[in-house]
PDB file of all heavy atoms in Angstrom:
ATOM      1  N   TYR A   1     113.150 100.959  65.137  1.00 95.00           N
ATOM      2  CA  TYR A   1     113.269 100.413  63.782  1.00 95.00           C
ATOM      3  C   TYR A   1     112.520 101.312  62.806  1.00 95.00           C
ATOM      4  O   TYR A   1     111.530 101.959  63.158  1.00 95.00           O
ATOM      5  CB  TYR A   1     112.763  98.961  63.709  1.00 95.00           C
ATOM      6  CG  TYR A   1     111.278  98.750  63.874  1.00 95.00           C
ATOM      7  CD1 TYR A   1     110.433  98.692  62.766  1.00 95.00           C
ATOM      8  CD2 TYR A   1     110.712  98.549  65.137  1.00 95.00           C
ATOM      9  CE1 TYR A   1     109.078  98.460  62.906  1.00 95.00           C
ATOM     10  CE2 TYR A   1     109.353  98.321  65.294  1.00 95.00           C
ATOM     11  CZ  TYR A   1     108.537  98.280  64.170  1.00 95.00           C
ATOM     12  OH  TYR A   1     107.189  98.056  64.309  1.00 95.00           O
ATOM     13  N   CYS A   2     113.025 101.368  61.561  1.00 94.00           N
ATOM     14  CA  CYS A   2     112.537 102.317  60.553  1.00 94.00           C
ATOM     15  C   CYS A   2     112.318 101.641  59.207  1.00 94.00           C
ATOM     16  O   CYS A   2     112.798 100.542  58.955  1.00 94.00           O
ATOM     17  CB  CYS A   2     113.549 103.445  60.340  1.00 94.00           C
ATOM     18  SG  CYS A   2     113.986 104.371  61.814  1.00 94.00           S
ATOM     19  N   ARG A   3     111.630 102.358  58.340  1.00 90.00           N
ATOM     20  CA  ARG A   3     111.574 101.973  56.930  1.00 90.00           C
ATOM     21  C   ARG A   3     112.943 102.249  56.300  1.00 90.00           C
ATOM     22  O   ARG A   3     113.673 103.141  56.760  1.00 90.00           O
ATOM     23  CB  ARG A   3     110.546 102.808  56.166  1.00 90.00           C
ATOM     24  CG  ARG A   3     109.123 102.724  56.655  1.00 90.00           C
ATOM     25  CD  ARG A   3     108.228 103.526  55.727  1.00 90.00           C
ATOM     26  NE  ARG A   3     106.874 103.648  56.259  1.00 90.00           N
ATOM     27  CZ  ARG A   3     105.773 103.658  55.519  1.00 90.00           C
ATOM     28  NH1 ARG A   3     105.886 103.554  54.203  1.00 90.00           N
ATOM     29  NH2 ARG A   3     104.581 103.782  56.064  1.00 90.00           N
ATOM     30  N   PRO A   4     113.290 101.575  55.220  1.00 90.00           N
ATOM     31  CA  PRO A   4     114.532 101.907  54.515  1.00 90.00           C
ATOM     32  C   PRO A   4     114.572 103.354  54.045  1.00 90.00           C
ATOM     33  O   PRO A   4     115.643 103.964  53.973  1.00 90.00           O
ATOM     34  CB  PRO A   4     114.537 100.941  53.325  1.00 90.00           C
ATOM     35  CG  PRO A   4     113.713  99.785  53.789  1.00 90.00           C
ATOM     36  CD  PRO A   4     112.645 100.360  54.668  1.00 90.00           C
ATOM     37  N   SER A   5     113.407 103.920  53.727  1.00 85.00           N
ATOM     38  CA  SER A   5     113.357 105.276  53.181  1.00 85.00           C
ATOM     39  C   SER A   5     113.256 106.365  54.243  1.00 85.00           C
ATOM     40  O   SER A   5     113.091 107.539  53.900  1.00 85.00           O
ATOM     41  CB  SER A   5     112.158 105.402  52.238  1.00 85.00           C
ATOM     42  OG  SER A   5     110.938 105.256  52.963  1.00 85.00           O
ATOM     43  N   CYS A   6     113.349 106.010  55.499  1.00 88.00           N
ATOM     44  CA  CYS A   6     113.166 106.996  56.572  1.00 88.00           C
ATOM     45  C   CYS A   6     114.069 108.214  56.349  1.00 88.00           C
ATOM     46  O   CYS A   6     115.253 108.094  56.026  1.00 88.00           O
ATOM     47  CB  CYS A   6     113.475 106.370  57.928  1.00 88.00           C
ATOM     48  SG  CYS A   6     113.134 107.487  59.319  1.00 88.00           S
ATOM     49  N   ALA A   7     113.485 109.402  56.539  1.00 84.00           N
ATOM     50  CA  ALA A   7     114.217 110.648  56.295  1.00 84.00           C
ATOM     51  C   ALA A   7     115.110 111.053  57.462  1.00 84.00           C
ATOM     52  O   ALA A   7     115.852 112.048  57.366  1.00 84.00           O
ATOM     53  CB  ALA A   7     113.221 111.771  56.004  1.00 84.00           C
ATOM     54  N   ALA A   8     115.071 110.301  58.552  1.00 87.00           N
ATOM     55  CA  ALA A   8     115.917 110.638  59.702  1.00 87.00           C
ATOM     56  C   ALA A   8     117.400 110.462  59.356  1.00 87.00           C
ATOM     57  O   ALA A   8     117.763 109.778  58.393  1.00 87.00           O
ATOM     58  CB  ALA A   8     115.547 109.763  60.894  1.00 87.00           C
ATOM     59  N   ARG A   9     118.246 111.066  60.151  1.00 89.00           N
ATOM     60  CA  ARG A   9     119.699 110.963  59.931  1.00 89.00           C
ATOM     61  C   ARG A   9     120.136 109.496  59.966  1.00 89.00           C
ATOM     62  O   ARG A   9     119.684 108.718  60.813  1.00 89.00           O
ATOM     63  CB  ARG A   9     120.427 111.747  61.010  1.00 89.00           C
ATOM     64  CG  ARG A   9     121.942 111.773  60.850  1.00 89.00           C
ATOM     65  CD  ARG A   9     122.554 112.616  61.948  1.00 89.00           C
ATOM     66  NE  ARG A   9     124.006 112.633  61.837  1.00 89.00           N
ATOM     67  CZ  ARG A   9     124.815 113.290  62.671  1.00 89.00           C
ATOM     68  NH1 ARG A   9     124.284 113.985  63.667  1.00 89.00           N
ATOM     69  NH2 ARG A   9     126.112 113.244  62.505  1.00 89.00           N
ATOM     70  N   HIS A  10     121.009 109.129  59.054  1.00 92.00           N
ATOM     71  CA  HIS A  10     121.437 107.736  58.978  1.00 92.00           C
ATOM     72  C   HIS A  10     122.254 107.328  60.215  1.00 92.00           C
ATOM     73  O   HIS A  10     123.130 108.092  60.656  1.00 92.00           O
ATOM     74  CB  HIS A  10     122.302 107.503  57.735  1.00 92.00           C
ATOM     75  CG  HIS A  10     121.516 107.514  56.459  1.00 92.00           C
ATOM     76  ND1 HIS A  10     121.941 108.130  55.307  1.00 92.00           N
ATOM     77  CD2 HIS A  10     120.301 106.974  56.164  1.00 92.00           C
ATOM     78  CE1 HIS A  10     121.049 107.966  54.361  1.00 92.00           C
ATOM     79  NE2 HIS A  10     120.042 107.284  54.849  1.00 92.00           N
ATOM     80  N   PRO A  11     121.978 106.128  60.743  1.00 93.00           N
ATOM     81  CA  PRO A  11     122.777 105.623  61.863  1.00 93.00           C
ATOM     82  C   PRO A  11     124.125 105.105  61.359  1.00 93.00           C
ATOM     83  O   PRO A  11     124.350 104.969  60.153  1.00 93.00           O
ATOM     84  CB  PRO A  11     121.921 104.470  62.393  1.00 93.00           C
ATOM     85  CG  PRO A  11     121.193 103.965  61.190  1.00 93.00           C
ATOM     86  CD  PRO A  11     120.917 105.174  60.336  1.00 93.00           C
ATOM     87  N   ARG A  12     125.030 104.822  62.282  1.00 94.00           N
ATOM     88  CA  ARG A  12     126.290 104.181  61.911  1.00 94.00           C
ATOM     89  C   ARG A  12     126.006 102.732  61.538  1.00 94.00           C
ATOM     90  O   ARG A  12     125.168 102.072  62.153  1.00 94.00           O
ATOM     91  CB  ARG A  12     127.279 104.257  63.067  1.00 94.00           C
ATOM     92  CG  ARG A  12     127.699 105.687  63.425  1.00 94.00           C
ATOM     93  CD  ARG A  12     128.547 105.704  64.689  1.00 94.00           C
ATOM     94  NE  ARG A  12     129.823 105.014  64.462  1.00 94.00           N
ATOM     95  CZ  ARG A  12     130.920 105.617  64.006  1.00 94.00           C
ATOM     96  NH1 ARG A  12     130.902 106.910  63.712  1.00 94.00           N
ATOM     97  NH2 ARG A  12     132.045 104.934  63.827  1.00 94.00           N
ATOM     98  N   ARG A  13     126.730 102.254  60.546  1.00 95.00           N
ATOM     99  CA  ARG A  13     126.456 100.906  60.032  1.00 95.00           C
ATOM    100  C   ARG A  13     126.605  99.844  61.111  1.00 95.00           C
ATOM    101  O   ARG A  13     125.811  98.890  61.171  1.00 95.00           O
ATOM    102  CB  ARG A  13     127.417 100.597  58.863  1.00 95.00           C
ATOM    103  CG  ARG A  13     127.286  99.174  58.313  1.00 95.00           C
ATOM    104  CD  ARG A  13     125.912  98.940  57.713  1.00 95.00           C
ATOM    105  NE  ARG A  13     125.710  97.560  57.257  1.00 95.00           N
ATOM    106  CZ  ARG A  13     125.236  96.579  58.013  1.00 95.00           C
ATOM    107  NH1 ARG A  13     124.909  96.810  59.288  1.00 95.00           N
ATOM    108  NH2 ARG A  13     125.077  95.362  57.525  1.00 95.00           N
ATOM    109  N   GLU A  14     127.576  99.990  61.978  1.00 95.00           N
ATOM    110  CA  GLU A  14     127.803  98.952  62.977  1.00 95.00           C
ATOM    111  C   GLU A  14     126.682  98.877  64.020  1.00 95.00           C
ATOM    112  O   GLU A  14     126.588  97.902  64.776  1.00 95.00           O
ATOM    113  CB  GLU A  14     129.142  99.170  63.680  1.00 95.00           C
ATOM    114  CG  GLU A  14     129.273 100.509  64.404  1.00 95.00           C
ATOM    115  CD  GLU A  14     129.946 101.564  63.558  1.00 95.00           C
ATOM    116  OE1 GLU A  14     129.846 101.483  62.307  1.00 95.00           O
ATOM    117  OE2 GLU A  14     130.571 102.472  64.134  1.00 95.00           O
ATOM    118  N   ASN A  15     125.818  99.900  64.057  1.00 96.00           N
ATOM    119  CA  ASN A  15     124.712  99.909  65.012  1.00 96.00           C
ATOM    120  C   ASN A  15     123.409  99.374  64.418  1.00 96.00           C
ATOM    121  O   ASN A  15     122.377  99.374  65.091  1.00 96.00           O
ATOM    122  CB  ASN A  15     124.469 101.332  65.528  1.00 96.00           C
ATOM    123  CG  ASN A  15     125.655 101.867  66.300  1.00 96.00           C
ATOM    124  OD1 ASN A  15     126.396 101.099  66.924  1.00 96.00           O
ATOM    125  ND2 ASN A  15     125.851 103.174  66.264  1.00 96.00           N
ATOM    126  N   VAL A  16     123.483  98.934  63.169  1.00 96.00           N
ATOM    127  CA  VAL A  16     122.271  98.554  62.433  1.00 96.00           C
ATOM    128  C   VAL A  16     122.144  97.035  62.302  1.00 96.00           C
ATOM    129  O   VAL A  16     123.131  96.334  62.064  1.00 96.00           O
ATOM    130  CB  VAL A  16     122.277  99.197  61.028  1.00 96.00           C
ATOM    131  CG1 VAL A  16     121.177  98.600  60.152  1.00 96.00           C
ATOM    132  CG2 VAL A  16     122.093 100.695  61.140  1.00 96.00           C
ATOM    133  N   ARG A  17     120.906  96.575  62.444  1.00 96.00           N
ATOM    134  CA  ARG A  17     120.575  95.185  62.158  1.00 96.00           C
ATOM    135  C   ARG A  17     119.297  95.188  61.333  1.00 96.00           C
ATOM    136  O   ARG A  17     118.383  95.993  61.593  1.00 96.00           O
ATOM    137  CB  ARG A  17     120.367  94.406  63.463  1.00 96.00           C
ATOM    138  CG  ARG A  17     120.008  92.927  63.269  1.00 96.00           C
ATOM    139  CD  ARG A  17     119.794  92.252  64.618  1.00 96.00           C
ATOM    140  NE  ARG A  17     119.159  90.943  64.472  1.00 96.00           N
ATOM    141  CZ  ARG A  17     118.641  90.242  65.474  1.00 96.00           C
ATOM    142  NH1 ARG A  17     118.691  90.735  66.723  1.00 96.00           N
ATOM    143  NH2 ARG A  17     118.080  89.066  65.260  1.00 96.00           N
ATOM    144  N   PHE A  18     119.210  94.314  60.342  1.00 96.00           N
ATOM    145  CA  PHE A  18     118.055  94.282  59.453  1.00 96.00           C
ATOM    146  C   PHE A  18     117.111  93.146  59.836  1.00 96.00           C
ATOM    147  O   PHE A  18     117.552  92.049  60.189  1.00 96.00           O
ATOM    148  CB  PHE A  18     118.509  94.132  58.001  1.00 96.00           C
ATOM    149  CG  PHE A  18     119.392  95.254  57.537  1.00 96.00           C
ATOM    150  CD1 PHE A  18     120.732  95.034  57.269  1.00 96.00           C
ATOM    151  CD2 PHE A  18     118.886  96.538  57.381  1.00 96.00           C
ATOM    152  CE1 PHE A  18     121.559  96.062  56.865  1.00 96.00           C
ATOM    153  CE2 PHE A  18     119.703  97.581  56.975  1.00 96.00           C
ATOM    154  CZ  PHE A  18     121.044  97.340  56.709  1.00 96.00           C
ATOM    155  N   PHE A  19     115.815  93.432  59.744  1.00 94.00           N
ATOM    156  CA  PHE A  19     114.777  92.446  60.062  1.00 94.00           C
ATOM    157  C   PHE A  19     113.817  92.341  58.880  1.00 94.00           C
ATOM    158  O   PHE A  19     113.495  93.347  58.233  1.00 94.00           O
ATOM    159  CB  PHE A  19     113.994  92.858  61.311  1.00 94.00           C
ATOM    160  CG  PHE A  19     114.836  92.978  62.552  1.00 94.00           C
ATOM    161  CD1 PHE A  19     115.467  94.171  62.863  1.00 94.00           C
ATOM    162  CD2 PHE A  19     115.007  91.885  63.399  1.00 94.00           C
ATOM    163  CE1 PHE A  19     116.245  94.283  64.004  1.00 94.00           C
ATOM    164  CE2 PHE A  19     115.782  91.989  64.542  1.00 94.00           C
ATOM    165  CZ  PHE A  19     116.408  93.189  64.854  1.00 94.00           C
ATOM    166  N   ALA A  20     113.353  91.140  58.623  1.00 90.00           N
ATOM    167  CA  ALA A  20     112.449  90.926  57.489  1.00 90.00           C
ATOM    168  C   ALA A  20     111.090  91.577  57.723  1.00 90.00           C
ATOM    169  O   ALA A  20     110.447  92.039  56.778  1.00 90.00           O
ATOM    170  CB  ALA A  20     112.277  89.434  57.224  1.00 90.00           C
ATOM    171  N   THR A  21     110.623  91.630  58.968  1.00 87.00           N
ATOM    172  CA  THR A  21     109.310  92.187  59.281  1.00 87.00           C
ATOM    173  C   THR A  21     109.372  93.059  60.523  1.00 87.00           C
ATOM    174  O   THR A  21     110.295  92.956  61.345  1.00 87.00           O
ATOM    175  CB  THR A  21     108.281  91.071  59.525  1.00 87.00           C
ATOM    176  OG1 THR A  21     108.654  90.345  60.718  1.00 87.00           O
ATOM    177  CG2 THR A  21     108.209  90.109  58.351  1.00 87.00           C
ATOM    178  N   ALA A  22     108.351  93.897  60.671  1.00 88.00           N
ATOM    179  CA  ALA A  22     108.236  94.728  61.864  1.00 88.00           C
ATOM    180  C   ALA A  22     108.059  93.856  63.109  1.00 88.00           C
ATOM    181  O   ALA A  22     108.584  94.172  64.184  1.00 88.00           O
ATOM    182  CB  ALA A  22     107.064  95.684  61.711  1.00 88.00           C
ATOM    183  N   LYS A  23     107.344  92.745  62.970  1.00 88.00           N
ATOM    184  CA  LYS A  23     107.128  91.864  64.122  1.00 88.00           C
ATOM    185  C   LYS A  23     108.449  91.303  64.642  1.00 88.00           C
ATOM    186  O   LYS A  23     108.654  91.184  65.854  1.00 88.00           O
ATOM    187  CB  LYS A  23     106.178  90.729  63.745  1.00 88.00           C
ATOM    188  CG  LYS A  23     104.726  91.162  63.603  1.00 88.00           C
ATOM    189  CD  LYS A  23     103.821  89.966  63.344  1.00 88.00           C
ATOM    190  CE  LYS A  23     102.366  90.401  63.273  1.00 88.00           C
ATOM    191  NZ  LYS A  23     101.459  89.242  63.021  1.00 88.00           N
ATOM    192  N   GLN A  24     109.355  90.958  63.734  1.00 93.00           N
ATOM    193  CA  GLN A  24     110.658  90.452  64.160  1.00 93.00           C
ATOM    194  C   GLN A  24     111.449  91.524  64.899  1.00 93.00           C
ATOM    195  O   GLN A  24     112.123  91.241  65.894  1.00 93.00           O
ATOM    196  CB  GLN A  24     111.444  89.946  62.945  1.00 93.00           C
ATOM    197  CG  GLN A  24     110.892  88.671  62.332  1.00 93.00           C
ATOM    198  CD  GLN A  24     111.704  88.210  61.142  1.00 93.00           C
ATOM    199  OE1 GLN A  24     112.753  88.777  60.824  1.00 93.00           O
ATOM    200  NE2 GLN A  24     111.223  87.172  60.460  1.00 93.00           N
ATOM    201  N   ALA A  25     111.362  92.757  64.408  1.00 93.00           N
ATOM    202  CA  ALA A  25     112.063  93.851  65.077  1.00 93.00           C
ATOM    203  C   ALA A  25     111.498  94.083  66.473  1.00 93.00           C
ATOM    204  O   ALA A  25     112.246  94.300  67.444  1.00 93.00           O
ATOM    205  CB  ALA A  25     111.963  95.122  64.238  1.00 93.00           C
ATOM    206  N   GLU A  26     110.189  94.021  66.591  1.00 93.00           N
ATOM    207  CA  GLU A  26     109.554  94.225  67.895  1.00 93.00           C
ATOM    208  C   GLU A  26     109.875  93.079  68.846  1.00 93.00           C
ATOM    209  O   GLU A  26     110.035  93.288  70.053  1.00 93.00           O
ATOM    210  CB  GLU A  26     108.053  94.398  67.702  1.00 93.00           C
ATOM    211  CG  GLU A  26     107.703  95.725  67.029  1.00 93.00           C
ATOM    212  CD  GLU A  26     106.237  95.827  66.630  1.00 93.00           C
ATOM    213  OE1 GLU A  26     105.482  94.866  66.903  1.00 93.00           O
ATOM    214  OE2 GLU A  26     105.862  96.859  66.052  1.00 93.00           O
ATOM    215  N   ALA A  27     109.984  91.866  68.302  1.00 94.00           N
ATOM    216  CA  ALA A  27     110.353  90.725  69.138  1.00 94.00           C
ATOM    217  C   ALA A  27     111.767  90.872  69.682  1.00 94.00           C
ATOM    218  O   ALA A  27     112.098  90.311  70.744  1.00 94.00           O
ATOM    219  CB  ALA A  27     110.227  89.425  68.330  1.00 94.00           C
ATOM    220  N   ALA A  28     112.604  91.648  68.973  1.00 94.00           N
ATOM    221  CA  ALA A  28     113.972  91.906  69.429  1.00 94.00           C
ATOM    222  C   ALA A  28     114.037  93.095  70.381  1.00 94.00           C
ATOM    223  O   ALA A  28     115.135  93.520  70.769  1.00 94.00           O
ATOM    224  CB  ALA A  28     114.884  92.155  68.228  1.00 94.00           C
ATOM    225  N   GLY A  29     112.874  93.646  70.746  1.00 95.00           N
ATOM    226  CA  GLY A  29     112.825  94.730  71.718  1.00 95.00           C
ATOM    227  C   GLY A  29     112.819  96.118  71.134  1.00 95.00           C
ATOM    228  O   GLY A  29     112.958  97.104  71.877  1.00 95.00           O
ATOM    229  N   LEU A  30     112.641  96.253  69.826  1.00 95.00           N
ATOM    230  CA  LEU A  30     112.658  97.565  69.190  1.00 95.00           C
ATOM    231  C   LEU A  30     111.240  98.114  69.052  1.00 95.00           C
ATOM    232  O   LEU A  30     110.266  97.369  69.009  1.00 95.00           O
ATOM    233  CB  LEU A  30     113.311  97.492  67.811  1.00 95.00           C
ATOM    234  CG  LEU A  30     114.728  96.900  67.759  1.00 95.00           C
ATOM    235  CD1 LEU A  30     115.241  96.873  66.327  1.00 95.00           C
ATOM    236  CD2 LEU A  30     115.673  97.701  68.651  1.00 95.00           C
ATOM    237  N   ARG A  31     111.137  99.440  68.974  1.00 94.00           N
ATOM    238  CA  ARG A  31     109.835 100.083  68.777  1.00 94.00           C
ATOM    239  C   ARG A  31     109.847 100.866  67.469  1.00 94.00           C
ATOM    240  O   ARG A  31     110.908 101.283  66.982  1.00 94.00           O
ATOM    241  CB  ARG A  31     109.507 101.016  69.947  1.00 94.00           C
ATOM    242  CG  ARG A  31     110.450 102.189  70.112  1.00 94.00           C
ATOM    243  CD  ARG A  31     110.139 102.972  71.378  1.00 94.00           C
ATOM    244  NE  ARG A  31     110.950 104.182  71.491  1.00 94.00           N
ATOM    245  CZ  ARG A  31     112.198 104.221  71.902  1.00 94.00           C
ATOM    246  NH1 ARG A  31     112.808 103.088  72.279  1.00 94.00           N
ATOM    247  NH2 ARG A  31     112.848 105.376  71.964  1.00 94.00           N
ATOM    248  N   ALA A  32     108.657 101.090  66.922  1.00 93.00           N
ATOM    249  CA  ALA A  32     108.536 101.721  65.608  1.00 93.00           C
ATOM    250  C   ALA A  32     108.905 103.199  65.659  1.00 93.00           C
ATOM    251  O   ALA A  32     108.577 103.913  66.609  1.00 93.00           O
ATOM    252  CB  ALA A  32     107.113 101.564  65.084  1.00 93.00           C
ATOM    253  N   CYS A  33     109.576 103.656  64.618  1.00 93.00           N
ATOM    254  CA  CYS A  33     109.917 105.070  64.462  1.00 93.00           C
ATOM    255  C   CYS A  33     108.634 105.882  64.290  1.00 93.00           C
ATOM    256  O   CYS A  33     107.761 105.531  63.490  1.00 93.00           O
ATOM    257  CB  CYS A  33     110.812 105.247  63.234  1.00 93.00           C
ATOM    258  SG  CYS A  33     111.130 106.951  62.758  1.00 93.00           S
ATOM    259  N   LEU A  34     108.517 106.976  65.025  1.00 89.00           N
ATOM    260  CA  LEU A  34     107.328 107.812  64.935  1.00 89.00           C
ATOM    261  C   LEU A  34     107.358 108.713  63.712  1.00 89.00           C
ATOM    262  O   LEU A  34     106.341 109.300  63.348  1.00 89.00           O
ATOM    263  CB  LEU A  34     107.192 108.659  66.205  1.00 89.00           C
ATOM    264  CG  LEU A  34     106.960 107.889  67.507  1.00 89.00           C
ATOM    265  CD1 LEU A  34     106.883 108.846  68.678  1.00 89.00           C
ATOM    266  CD2 LEU A  34     105.685 107.056  67.409  1.00 89.00           C
ATOM    267  N   ARG A  35     108.514 108.808  63.082  1.00 86.00           N
ATOM    268  CA  ARG A  35     108.632 109.676  61.907  1.00 86.00           C
ATOM    269  C   ARG A  35     108.192 108.970  60.628  1.00 86.00           C
ATOM    270  O   ARG A  35     107.393 109.493  59.857  1.00 86.00           O
ATOM    271  CB  ARG A  35     110.073 110.167  61.758  1.00 86.00           C
ATOM    272  CG  ARG A  35     110.279 111.141  60.604  1.00 86.00           C
ATOM    273  CD  ARG A  35     111.654 111.783  60.681  1.00 86.00           C
ATOM    274  NE  ARG A  35     111.827 112.802  59.663  1.00 86.00           N
ATOM    275  CZ  ARG A  35     112.885 113.607  59.586  1.00 86.00           C
ATOM    276  NH1 ARG A  35     113.854 113.518  60.484  1.00 86.00           N
ATOM    277  NH2 ARG A  35     112.970 114.509  58.625  1.00 86.00           N
ATOM    278  N   CYS A  36     108.699 107.755  60.385  1.00 87.00           N
ATOM    279  CA  CYS A  36     108.373 107.050  59.133  1.00 87.00           C
ATOM    280  C   CYS A  36     107.296 105.984  59.299  1.00 87.00           C
ATOM    281  O   CYS A  36     106.804 105.449  58.317  1.00 87.00           O
ATOM    282  CB  CYS A  36     109.634 106.433  58.532  1.00 87.00           C
ATOM    283  SG  CYS A  36     110.333 105.063  59.513  1.00 87.00           S
ATOM    284  N   ARG A  37     106.936 105.657  60.563  1.00 84.00           N
ATOM    285  CA  ARG A  37     105.864 104.702  60.868  1.00 84.00           C
ATOM    286  C   ARG A  37     105.966 103.415  60.038  1.00 84.00           C
ATOM    287  O   ARG A  37     105.101 103.109  59.212  1.00 84.00           O
ATOM    288  CB  ARG A  37     104.493 105.365  60.649  1.00 84.00           C
ATOM    289  CG  ARG A  37     104.281 106.580  61.533  1.00 84.00           C
ATOM    290  CD  ARG A  37     102.895 107.151  61.400  1.00 84.00           C
ATOM    291  NE  ARG A  37     102.732 108.330  62.221  1.00 84.00           N
ATOM    292  CZ  ARG A  37     102.452 108.337  63.522  1.00 84.00           C
ATOM    293  NH1 ARG A  37     102.299 107.173  64.143  1.00 84.00           N
ATOM    294  NH2 ARG A  37     102.313 109.472  64.179  1.00 84.00           N
ATOM    295  N   PRO A  38     107.009 102.637  60.248  1.00 87.00           N
ATOM    296  CA  PRO A  38     107.219 101.434  59.430  1.00 87.00           C
ATOM    297  C   PRO A  38     106.153 100.372  59.610  1.00 87.00           C
ATOM    298  O   PRO A  38     105.962  99.527  58.727  1.00 87.00           O
ATOM    299  CB  PRO A  38     108.584 100.931  59.912  1.00 87.00           C
ATOM    300  CG  PRO A  38     108.710 101.454  61.308  1.00 87.00           C
ATOM    301  CD  PRO A  38     108.060 102.808  61.275  1.00 87.00           C
ATOM    302  N   ASN A  39     105.442 100.398  60.726  1.00 80.00           N
ATOM    303  CA  ASN A  39     104.398  99.388  60.939  1.00 80.00           C
ATOM    304  C   ASN A  39     103.116  99.712  60.172  1.00 80.00           C
ATOM    305  O   ASN A  39     102.149  98.960  60.232  1.00 80.00           O
ATOM    306  CB  ASN A  39     104.090  99.211  62.431  1.00 80.00           C
ATOM    307  CG  ASN A  39     103.953 100.543  63.154  1.00 80.00           C
ATOM    308  OD1 ASN A  39     104.151 101.598  62.564  1.00 80.00           O
ATOM    309  ND2 ASN A  39     103.616 100.487  64.423  1.00 80.00           N
ATOM    310  N   ASP A  40     103.100 100.833  59.420  1.00 73.00           N
ATOM    311  CA  ASP A  40     101.954 101.156  58.579  1.00 73.00           C
ATOM    312  C   ASP A  40     102.116 100.632  57.156  1.00 73.00           C
ATOM    313  O   ASP A  40     101.224 100.809  56.325  1.00 73.00           O
ATOM    314  CB  ASP A  40     101.746 102.680  58.510  1.00 73.00           C
ATOM    315  CG  ASP A  40     101.066 103.233  59.756  1.00 73.00           C
ATOM    316  OD1 ASP A  40     100.581 102.419  60.566  1.00 73.00           O
ATOM    317  OD2 ASP A  40     101.034 104.465  59.916  1.00 73.00           O
ATOM    318  N   VAL A  41     103.263 100.008  56.855  1.00 66.00           N
ATOM    319  CA  VAL A  41     103.516  99.562  55.485  1.00 66.00           C
ATOM    320  C   VAL A  41     102.450  98.589  55.016  1.00 66.00           C
ATOM    321  O   VAL A  41     101.926  98.692  53.899  1.00 66.00           O
ATOM    322  CB  VAL A  41     104.920  98.917  55.359  1.00 66.00           C
ATOM    323  CG1 VAL A  41     105.092  98.277  53.991  1.00 66.00           C
ATOM    324  CG2 VAL A  41     106.000  99.964  55.587  1.00 66.00           C
ATOM    325  N   ALA A  42     102.101  97.620  55.852  1.00 65.00           N
ATOM    326  CA  ALA A  42     101.089  96.629  55.471  1.00 65.00           C
ATOM    327  C   ALA A  42      99.748  97.305  55.194  1.00 65.00           C
ATOM    328  O   ALA A  42      99.031  96.948  54.256  1.00 65.00           O
ATOM    329  CB  ALA A  42     100.944  95.574  56.559  1.00 65.00           C
TER     330      ALA A  42
END
């Protein structure tokens, strides 16, 4: 999972799901992007 502003190449839309918080994304089994570090937003 990434920040909206992540500079990485955009994924295909059908592969994307949006989460309100990093905790929700992690609860769904996702890990934080090492490039944009979305869990540092707070």
